[in-house]
Amino acid sequence: MKIFYHKKIIVLWGLVLVSFLPSCTSHQQSEVSSTVADSAEYSCPMHPQIIRRQPGDCPICGMTLVKQNDTHAAALKDVQLENLLKPTNQFVVSDIPVISVSQKSADIPVKALGTIAYNTSAAGTISARVTGRIEKLYILYKFQLVQKGQKIMEIYSPELLTAQQNLLFLLQHDAENTTLVNAAKQKLLWLGMSTEQMQQVMQTRKIAYTVTVYSNYTGHIHEAGNENMAAPVSVVMKDVTLRTKELSIKAGMYVEKGQTIFTVFNPDKAWVLLNIYASDLSLVKKGASATITPETAPDKAFKSTINFIEPFYRNNSKTLTARIDFNNTTRHIPIGSQVNAVIAAHIANAYWLPVNAVVSLGVDKIVFIKEDGGFRARKIVTGVTTNNEIQIIAGLTSTNQVATNAQYLMDSESFIKLKN
């Protein structure tokens, strides 16, 4: 009987504990909720620096403070900066006039600068036909003007002496052998002796110890001798102007057979060398007409056509060179003169837009295409600009409509974001 009563007391005590636990848990939850409520913060949507522990109004703008949501704050951590900073000009709501690209051909004047140069294809060379020593030099200074048939120098050559002796021997002992006599005559001509000199040797029966070299061209003499024939280094160091005033080749120097001694450039046959920039290469073609105006003689402007475009860039140059042949006989334009040129270029069936419809962002060019309710920026590829129009190479079709004046649709170039 006592044992049963003891168990009943234990059961009753357990029921008391069970009934007591829920009330304790509820009390703890209320304390936690109170703590969370006390830690809640309220801020102004317009002035996030304003933070309060209880609801109220913003002391700056008067707006109602909004309770900060921790779950939203955690979600913002996953948002990329690129998604938050939306460009203001990516889409513009506007109703300004629009225009479409026009397709047409156009004549475009391309301006270029250049110089007058010698026509190297018309240059002649004066070479030594025999090995020997220069006995006399008739050329006194660089760039001297010589005429065709003028004496250049006299050369002493043992080979020429031997050839003359052979001819005189045949004339004296076997004059009837025309085959050998003609061969001896031909050899003297090949060695550089003129017909008049050879006839004089045959008539006088005396050997000419020197042979005269004549110029076969008219023009300015340019030295073509080797550098080892130049003046001594000590002389050059004392006066560097000797290189531009005096010839390095002198009387008494030896020359080798086949050596080019002088080059003759004819100033009456000249070139115009025009510098063509990369942006104009697609416009300038062989056969294009050009108007050339020399800076030294503006009254001597003339028209000609491009004969050749060099297929390479010269050293330290960002331009290609276009050549124009012209006759300088009557104009007498000095070689090296600067010229201005206008090349007539033609573009067939190209697309064009007004310049105001295109915005330049430095390297990129954009237009604003008409869409429902506004305009959207699009990158395009442009060509040349002429007559207040710009060529459209890629990025637009004939059905696209763009803003006539793109400047009205932008606040700042740096805000424009393109989606290619």
Side-chain angles (χ1 to χ4, degrees), residues 109-115 272-276 289-295 302 306 324 338-344:
V110 178
K111 295 182 179 180
L113 300 176
T115 57
V272 178
L273 301 181
L274 298 179
N275 300 318
I276 309 300
S289 176
T291 301
I292 311 299
T293 304
E295 292 184 355
F302 61 95
I306 295 178
I324 296 177
Q338 302 292 322
V339 298
N340 295 316
V342 179
I343 305 171

Side-chain angles (χ1 to χ4, degrees), residues 16-283:
V16 171
L17 290 176
V18 171
S19 62
F20 178 77
L21 285 175
S23 62
C24 292
T25 304
S26 177
H27 177 70
Q28 290 176 356
Q29 289 180 348
S30 62
E31 289 182 355
V32 172
S33 300
S34 176
T35 304
V36 172
D38 294 341
S39 62
E41 295 180 347
Y42 299 83
S43 63
C44 177
M46 296 298 295
H47 303 89
Q49 70 272 20
I50 303 300
I51 300 176
R52 296 291 185 267
R53 295 292 183 179
Q54 60 277 350
D57 297 331
C58 176
I60 298 177
C61 61
M63 291 184 65
T64 302
L65 299 181
V66 179
K67 183 178 180 180
Q68 294 183 348
N69 194 328
D70 294 338
T71 58
H72 291 174
L76 289 176
K77 295 180 181 179
D78 298 330
V79 178
Q80 300 295 328
L81 181 62
E82 181 181 357
N83 297 329
L84 294 176
L85 300 179
K86 291 293 184 181
T88 58
N89 288 348
Q90 183 176 335
F91 187 84
V92 183
V93 178
S94 180
D95 193 22
I96 65 174
V98 295
I99 191 173
S100 300
V101 293
S102 59
Q103 186 177 12
K104 60 182 179 180
S105 301
D107 294 323
I108 301 174
V110 178
K111 295 182 179 180
L113 300 176
T115 57
I116 302 294
Y118 288 113
N119 187 341
T120 56
S121 62
T125 59
I126 300 175
S127 304
R129 296 190 178 185
V130 292
T131 299
R133 183 179 67 248
I134 300 176
E135 291 296 320
K136 192 171 183 180
L137 189 64
Y138 295 99
I139 302 300
L140 305 178
Y141 52 87
K142 292 181 179 181
F143 315 120
Q144 180 177 341
L145 180 63
V146 298
Q147 301 296 330
K148 184 177 181 179
Q150 181 177 333
K151 290 183 179 181
I152 299 299
M153 58 186 172
E154 293 182 3
I155 295 180
Y156 165 79
S157 173
E159 187 177 2
L160 270 172
L161 293 180
T162 303
Q164 293 178 72
Q165 290 172 350
N166 292 337
L167 175 60
L168 294 179
F169 180 84
L170 289 172
L171 292 175
Q172 184 177 358
H173 298 92
D174 196 6
E176 295 179 357
N177 192 341
T178 56
T179 302
L180 292 178
V181 171
N182 290 335
K185 291 180 181 179
Q186 188 63 45
K187 184 176 181 179
L188 286 175
L189 295 176
W190 284 343
L191 292 177
M193 181 174 280
S194 65
T195 304
E196 292 78 9
Q197 287 178 311
M198 185 181 63
Q199 293 293 338
Q200 185 178 2
V201 170
M202 294 172 61
Q203 292 175 3
T204 62
R205 301 300 174 95
K206 293 182 179 180
I207 294 175
Y209 289 92
T210 60
V211 61
T212 303
V213 178
Y214 297 90
S215 174
N216 294 326
Y217 314 96
T218 298
H220 294 151
I221 283 287
H222 288 245
E223 193 171 10
N226 296 330
E227 289 298 326
N228 57 6
M229 302 172 60
V233 176
S234 59
V235 177
V236 176
M237 293 299 292
K238 290 180 180 179
D239 187 4
V240 294
T241 59
L242 292 177
R243 281 195 174 275
T244 59
K245 293 182 179 179
E246 298 181 4
L247 294 169
S248 62
I249 188 170
K250 305 288 184 182
M253 292 182 176
Y254 283 84
V255 293
E256 299 292 335
K257 180 186 291 187
Q259 176 183 338
T260 300
I261 303 173
F262 295 110
T263 302
V264 182
F265 289 99
N266 190 347
D268 294 338
K269 298 179 180 180
W271 275 341
V272 178
L273 301 181
L274 298 179
N275 300 318
I276 309 300
Y277 290 96
S279 58
D280 297 328
L281 288 180
S282 60
L283 301 175

Side-chain angles (χ1 to χ4, degrees), residues 316-333:
N316 301 322
S317 176
K318 296 182 179 180
T319 59
L320 285 184
T321 301
R323 301 179 190 170
I324 296 177
D325 295 338
F326 77 100
N327 193 332
N328 199 27
T329 304
T330 58
R331 298 182 179 89
H332 300 294
I333 302 173

